[in-house]
Amino acid sequence: MKKIIIIGACGQIGTELVLNLRVKHGNDNVYAADLHADCPEKLVGGPYVQMDILKKEEVRDFIISEEISEVYLLAALLSATAEKNPAFAWQLNMDGLFTILDLAKEGYLDKIFWPSSIAVFGPTTPQRNTPQLTVMEPTTVYGISKQAGERWCEYYFNNYGVDVRSIRYPGLISYTSLPGGGTTDYAVDIFYQAKLGNDFSCFLAEDTALPMMYMEDAIRATIELMEAPKENVNIRSSYNLSGCSFSPKEISDEIKKHIPDFDISYTPDFRQEIADTWPGSIDDSRAREDWAWQERYDLSMLVKTMLDNVDVNMISEI
Ligand code: NAD
Ligand code: AKB
C-alpha cells in the first residue's frame, strides 16, 4: 500500500480530499498535515501531523522517514489574503512547491498533486471560454505565484521526469469547511446568510460571472487525474477545469427559488478588481480528452445541495 500525505489538510479542499483518499487507500495510509497543533475533529480517523511546509528539513525528514510516495500540496495563501501580504504569499506559495518537487527529483516521491487556479489568467486573457493555451498576464501575487508554479511543474517534468499533476481549480463551493480567503468565497458565505434568514451583502458586483465548481466534482477530478495513466497526462503545467459559471445575481436568483424572502445587495470591495481580471468561463476540453473529465453539478444542483447541508453553527464557531 502506498503512503500519501496531504499538506494543508485542514483547509477547504484538504478536509474533503483527506476523507476521500482515506476511503480509497485506507485510513492509516493517508496522513493529514497542517500548521495546527491539534487534529480537527473531522480528520481524527487517520494519522495527523503538525507540519509547516516552510520548515524544509522537517518536511523532508518526515516524508523520507515515513516512506511517503505521494504528496498533495495544498498549503497556500489564496487571492484576497495574498494581496494583503504579497511577500509572504510568494514565499509560502513557491518555497513549499520547490521542497516537494526536489524530493521527487531526488527519487523519494512517485507522484505529486499541486493545485493551480483560474487566477493564472489576467485582464488580457480572453474572458469567455478561456482556452487551455492562451495569453496569461496575472496581476495578483496569487496569480503570479500560480503561474510561476505551473512553469516549474512543467520544467521538473520535462527535465527530471517528475510526475507532477495539476488542475486550475475554479472557485470551489462546499459545506464541510469554510473557505480560506479567496475572491470566490462570497459564493459559500451566501448560503450561511440565506439559511440564517439574513440578507446578504456581496463584495462583488451583481453581474461578475466567475467559473465555479461544487467540491465533490473537484475532489473527483483530482483523484481521476491522479489515477490517470501517465501517458494520458499530456499537460504538465495545469489543466483547465470547468464546472458551472455564475454571477452573484444568478446564484441569488437560484437561492430565491428555495428561500423567496432572501435578499442580496452589492458593495464591491478590493476583491472586485481581482475578479475583473479573471475569466467568466473556461474551456476544459483538454481535461475531457485526456482523462475523460465530466462535471456532474450544475448551478441548481449545487444550490440545492448547499442549502440542504450547510450547518450555520460553523460560522459561529469562528
Ligand atoms: P485553505 O486556505 O482553505 O487551506 C489551506 C490550508 O493550508 C489551511 O488549513 C492552512 O492552515 C494550511 N497552511 C497554511 N500555511 C501552511 C504552512 N506553512 N504549512 C502547512 N500548512 C499550511 O485553502 P484551500 O481552499 O483548501 O486551497 C488549497 C489549495 O488549492 C491552494 O493551493 C489554493 O490556491 C488552491 N485553490 C483553491 C481554490 C478554492 O476555491 N478553494 C481554487 C483554486 C485553487
Ligand atoms: C480564490 O478566490 O482565491 C480561489 C481561487 C479561484 O483560486 N478560490
Side-chain angles (χ1 to χ4, degrees), residues 35-197:
L35 284 177
H36 313 292
D38 299 323
C39 177
E41 185 70 30
K42 290 177 180 121
L43 301 182
V44 290
Y48 177 83
V49 54
Q50 183 179 20
M51 180 183 282
D52 181 349
I53 187 64
L54 293 177
K55 295 192 172 153
K56 182 176 172 180
E57 290 313 319
E58 288 177 25
V59 174
R60 285 180 61 86
D61 288 349
F62 185 83
I63 286 176
I64 294 169
S65 64
E66 293 298 317
E67 299 183 331
I68 306 280
S69 62
E70 215 165 287
V71 175
Y72 292 72
L73 175 56
L74 305 181
L77 285 198
L78 277 74
S79 57
T81 316
E83 284 311 296
K84 294 180 180 157
N85 196 347
F88 178 68
W90 176 256
Q91 184 193 7
L92 175 61
N93 294 8
M94 298 309 299
D95 289 3
L97 177 59
F98 280 115
T99 298
I100 301 305
L101 286 173
D102 282 333
L103 277 164
K105 178 186 165 189
E106 291 165 39
Y108 291 111
L109 297 172
D110 295 336
K111 228 186 258 184
I112 299 169
F113 178 80
W114 174 81
S116 185
S117 161
I118 53 162
V120 291
F121 300 116
T124 51
T125 301
Q127 279 261 314
R128 299 258 160 267
N129 222 17
T130 301
Q132 175 71 41
L133 302 175
T134 186
V135 179
M136 293 162 78
E137 296 184 309
T139 51
T140 61
V141 63
Y142 177 65
I144 295 168
S145 72
K146 290 294 183 187
Q147 192 195 31
E150 287 191 7
R151 297 288 87 226
W152 279 111
C153 288
E154 193 183 80
Y155 186 91
Y156 270 66
F157 173 75
N158 285 337
N159 291 282
Y160 311 123
V162 168
D163 190 355
V164 54
R165 304 174 183 209
S166 177
I167 286 171
R168 291 173 181 152
Y169 288 131
L172 300 181
I173 315 298
S174 66
Y175 60 84
T176 307
S177 58
L178 296 168
T183 303
T184 57
D185 290 12
Y186 88 85
V188 177
D189 301 341
I190 195 169
F191 290 103
Y192 291 89
Q193 299 310 324
K195 235 179 146 171
L196 282 166

Side-chain angles (χ1 to χ4, degrees), residues 207-218:
D207 57 352
T208 305
L210 289 171
M212 301 281 190
M213 180 175 283
Y214 184 57
M215 186 64 83
E216 191 180 302
D217 272 348

